[in-house]
Amino acid sequence: SVRAAASARRSARRSAAATTVSMSAYPRVVEDALPKIYVYDHCPFCVRVRLALGYKNVKHEVVFMGNDDVATPTALIGKKIAPILVMPNDDMAPMPESLDICKFFDENERFGPTNVIKPATGRTDFKTWQKGLQTTLRMLTRPRYMQTALPEFMQQDGKDAFVKNHQLPPYEKKEWKEGDMTMDAKWALYTDALETKTGEHLPDLNAALKELEPMIYSKEFCSEGGFSYDDIDLWSRLRSISSHLLRVLSFLRV
């Protein structure tokens, strides 16, 4: 059948990629004063930077900010944002924007071989896939962040700050943040999503993951041609599913 033939081609392609391409570690880069990145553990944009630094094998210091900590990022960059890069021995201002930080390390010979992360391919199927999962992931992950031992949520103030500013469907951001909904009402919706909505949304997530599988080029990278910013972006989104969400689902036996 056409489907069987397509499956066979994918299997052959992945087998070839697996035998001809390896993601061997690059030489370890350890500076006297380590690059310092300020992050949230749950944040996909922060994961982009951590993934790039790991791929490049650059030793670095990770500073987890509390989700309610406004003072630290504001002192560094003028507003509450993450990730932020600080180079202690460099005469450069703290750097925001995840992809700019990734490129800073990948394009600088000081941090090993350059341009080892290939440009994004421009594929639209991954973007379409992510957009189609937006409601499902918000309903599954956001309430579960509040149940996991993430460093930014170790204190109740950090959890309250997240719930205050991160809406659950069907609410839009402006309605959630600027409306007259009380914190008690917001927490009630988070609790309800955790306790009663999993059965509605988890099958959609499972189905979407099955749809994603044939889009992945090989075990080493998601698009033909090598490890690229496609991988940086896609994995940063998948990480919430593969770690925090599934760990809590297992714990709750849902």
Side-chain angles (χ1 to χ4, degrees):
S1 67
V2 173
R3 179 176 297 179
S7 177
R9 287 195 298 270
R10 287 195 300 270
S11 297
R13 180 180 62 191
R14 290 175 189 172
S15 177
T19 57
T20 59
V21 180
S22 65
M23 292 177 65
S24 57
Y26 292 100
R28 186 68 160 163
V29 177
V30 182
E31 299 218 316
D32 291 337
L34 298 180
K36 185 180 296 187
I37 55 170
Y38 291 78
V39 301
Y40 305 123
D41 198 12
H42 75 279
C43 169
F45 305 106
C46 299
V47 174
R48 287 175 174 177
V49 174
R50 296 172 69 187
L51 176 57
L53 284 167
Y55 185 71
K56 290 273 296 184
N57 206 11
V58 177
K59 188 173 183 178
H60 56 284
E61 180 181 353
V62 178
V63 180
F64 293 107
M65 299 182 289
N67 199 253
D68 61 317
D69 181 0
V70 177
T72 298
T74 300
L76 290 170
I77 211 73
K79 59 182 176 179
K80 186 178 184 296
I81 192 173
I84 301 170
L85 168 67
V86 172
M87 298 295 295
N89 282 353
D90 287 33
D91 185 19
M92 60 176 277
M95 179 184 292
E97 301 300 336
S98 60
L99 295 182
D100 289 343
I101 297 172
C102 293
K103 291 176 181 177
F104 171 78
F105 286 103
D106 194 34
E107 296 175 356
N108 193 331
E109 292 182 354
R110 167 181 167 189
F111 302 107
T114 59
N115 300 313
V116 299
I117 305 175
K118 299 183 183 301
T121 63
R123 290 178 60 172
T124 60
D125 53 348
F126 288 145
K127 297 295 184 183
T128 300
W129 183 85
Q130 291 175 22
K131 185 176 181 180
L133 263 184
Q134 185 178 77
T135 293
T136 296
L137 288 182
R138 285 179 177 176
M139 290 296 287
L140 288 173
T141 61
R142 288 181 174 181
R144 286 174 171 81
Y145 289 153
M146 301 299 96
Q147 304 297 314
T148 55
L150 297 177
E152 57 264 40
F153 302 132
M154 292 304 290
Q155 298 188 41
Q156 186 63 41
D157 291 340
K159 296 180 180 181
D160 287 339
F162 186 86
V163 171
K164 178 181 179 181
N165 294 309
H166 292 80
Q167 77 278 13
L168 290 180
Y171 293 93
E172 297 296 332
K173 181 183 293 187
K174 183 174 182 179
E175 180 184 14
W176 185 272
K177 295 180 67 172
E178 300 178 11
D180 57 3
M181 190 185 306
T182 66
M183 280 298 297
D184 285 344
K186 292 178 180 180
W187 268 110
L189 289 170
Y190 265 64
T191 301
D192 182 65
L194 181 67
E195 295 179 350
T196 72
K197 303 297 184 183
T198 299
E200 176 184 345
H201 293 285
L202 189 57
D204 293 337
L205 174 58
N206 288 331
L209 290 173
K210 290 180 180 179
E211 292 174 2
L212 177 65
E213 196 274 340
M215 300 181 200
I216 305 298
Y217 181 77
S218 73
K219 293 180 179 180
E220 285 76 21
F221 35 83
C222 64
S223 296
E224 185 174 4
F227 187 83
S228 72
Y229 281 98
D230 290 4
D231 297 279
I232 295 288
D233 185 62
L234 181 62
W235 169 244
S236 70
R237 310 289 179 173
L238 291 176
R239 191 240 189 183
S240 292
I241 303 171
S242 64
S243 55
H244 313 315
L245 174 58
L246 295 186
R247 184 164 59 241
V248 176
L249 283 174
S250 175
F251 175 75
L252 295 175
R253 301 192 179 190
V254 174

